[in-house]
Amino acid sequence: MFKTTLAHLATLAALSSVSASASACQDLTLAPGGVVVQVTDGDTVVLHDGRIVRMIGTQAPKLALGREDFDVWPLAEPSQQALSDMVLGKTVQLGFGGERQDRHGRVLAHVMLDTPDGPLWAQQVMVAKGLARVYSFPDNRKCLDLLFAAEGRARVSGLGIWSDPYYSVRLADQPDALLARVGHYELVEGRILKAESRSGRVYFNFGRSWKLDFTAVIEAPALRLFAADGREPLVLDGALVRIRGWVDDRDGPRIEITHPEQIEVLATR
């Protein structure tokens, strides 16, 4: 069964608001990192030995970084600056909770900054400041509850990106507005009108026209993750949810769900 996010948010907030220390997440394997010599953007750093570390679990506003005709996301520079102020020239540890390297050769890790008071969890700090949002993958799912709690507080307080309409939570019952966000990573909130299983997939329909309205789909590989966690997506029929992911256009606006953490349950029927 899915946990109702609003019901357990206060508990999670209490766990993560005391400090952003590494002790808040016990499920990581810690390894030596090194000195941060460059901060590429708000979620990527370079270590003294040349390793590029993608700070897993978060997505910061994107800079152009040499890409032509790329529209810099709002607050990208403040996000990079905040991370620079925190870790540049400092010694960090790396925390691993899944795949350790991506296809680009980047290290996938949580970054823990050594401080006199103990390790500081860089991802949680950035999310808590509203300068990054939670961005998860099916092969890296550790410590997400704590990051969601930090994001929820930042969003409610209107901190950082949450004060900018570019990052607003979208409404599932406004498909035309969602079509304008195709190719963007979005948070979409609405009530599931119908959850159904067809052809080895599960569909969440948020409107009566499956060719026009917003839909979320769970493919077979993701359904295996749901089953392994003991979660049945069909029980979400009628639930109010927040779904995050990349918007595409296949018979109307759609998000593919690749793992359970893309769904936050706000209320049941």
Side-chain angles (χ1 to χ4, degrees):
M1 182 67 69
F2 288 82
K3 295 179 180 178
T4 301
T5 299
L6 293 182
H8 74 290
L9 180 59
T11 301
L12 296 175
L15 289 173
S16 57
S17 62
V18 175
S19 72
S21 69
S23 62
C25 181
Q26 302 289 347
D27 296 331
L28 302 178
T29 301
L30 293 179
V35 177
V36 175
V37 297
Q38 181 182 344
V39 174
T40 306
D41 55 24
D43 57 35
T44 309
V45 301
V46 182
L47 301 180
H48 71 283
D49 57 8
R51 285 182 294 169
I52 300 172
V53 181
R54 172 65 173 86
M55 292 169 54
I56 200 68
T58 61
Q59 180 196 61
K62 294 185 180 297
L63 292 163
L65 301 177
R67 289 172 288 189
E68 293 184 5
D69 301 322
F70 182 87
D71 293 329
V72 174
W73 295 10
L75 295 173
E77 292 182 359
S79 176
Q80 180 196 34
Q81 187 61 56
L83 185 59
S84 296
D85 292 343
M86 180 169 33
V87 303
L88 187 60
K90 308 289 180 57
T91 299
V92 299
Q93 298 182 71
L94 302 180
F96 297 100
E99 287 296 317
R100 297 191 175 202
Q101 184 171 301
D102 68 10
R103 60 189 178 91
H104 304 292
R106 299 178 300 180
V107 177
L108 303 175
H110 293 266
V111 172
M112 307 296 180
L113 174 66
D114 292 335
T115 76
D117 298 323
L120 192 70
W121 185 8
Q123 272 96 324
Q124 192 181 41
V125 172
M126 293 295 290
V127 171
K129 289 182 176 180
L131 293 174
R133 55 187 169 181
V134 181
Y135 181 52
S136 56
F137 295 87
D139 56 8
N140 250 302
R141 302 167 57 201
K142 298 293 186 182
C143 304
L144 292 175
D145 274 358
L146 295 171
L147 293 178
F148 278 123
E151 181 193 276
R153 292 193 306 276
R155 187 169 59 246
V156 169
S157 300
L159 300 180
I161 64 174
W162 305 112
S163 66
D164 192 299
Y166 186 91
Y167 303 98
S168 293
V169 177
R170 314 295 171 184
L171 298 179
D173 62 0
Q174 296 182 4
D176 289 342
L178 286 171
L179 283 175
R181 303 298 293 173
V182 166
H184 291 257
Y185 187 82
E186 299 292 341
L187 278 62
V188 180
E189 189 172 301
R191 190 170 294 277
I192 299 172
L193 184 66
K194 184 176 184 181
E196 60 180 340
S197 177
R198 287 190 286 114
S199 303
R201 304 177 180 89
V202 167
Y203 293 90
F204 293 155
N205 298 306
F206 289 82
R208 299 189 182 281
S209 173
W210 61 270
K211 282 187 171 292
L212 298 174
D213 291 316
F214 174 65
T215 303
V217 60
I218 310 174
E219 300 280 357
L223 287 174
R224 289 192 284 272
L225 293 180
F226 279 79
D229 285 359
R231 305 190 191 195
E232 172 51 71
L234 291 177
V235 304
L236 295 179
D237 189 90
L240 179 66
V241 298
R242 183 183 303 124
I243 292 176
R244 65 185 66 214
W246 295 94
V247 179
D248 61 34
D249 181 7
R250 298 187 186 182
D251 294 320
R254 188 193 78 149
I255 286 178
E256 180 180 348
I257 297 169
T258 63
H259 56 289
E261 286 78 11
Q262 285 177 259
I263 307 170
E264 296 173 81
V265 181
L266 307 180
T268 55
R269 288 178 179 273

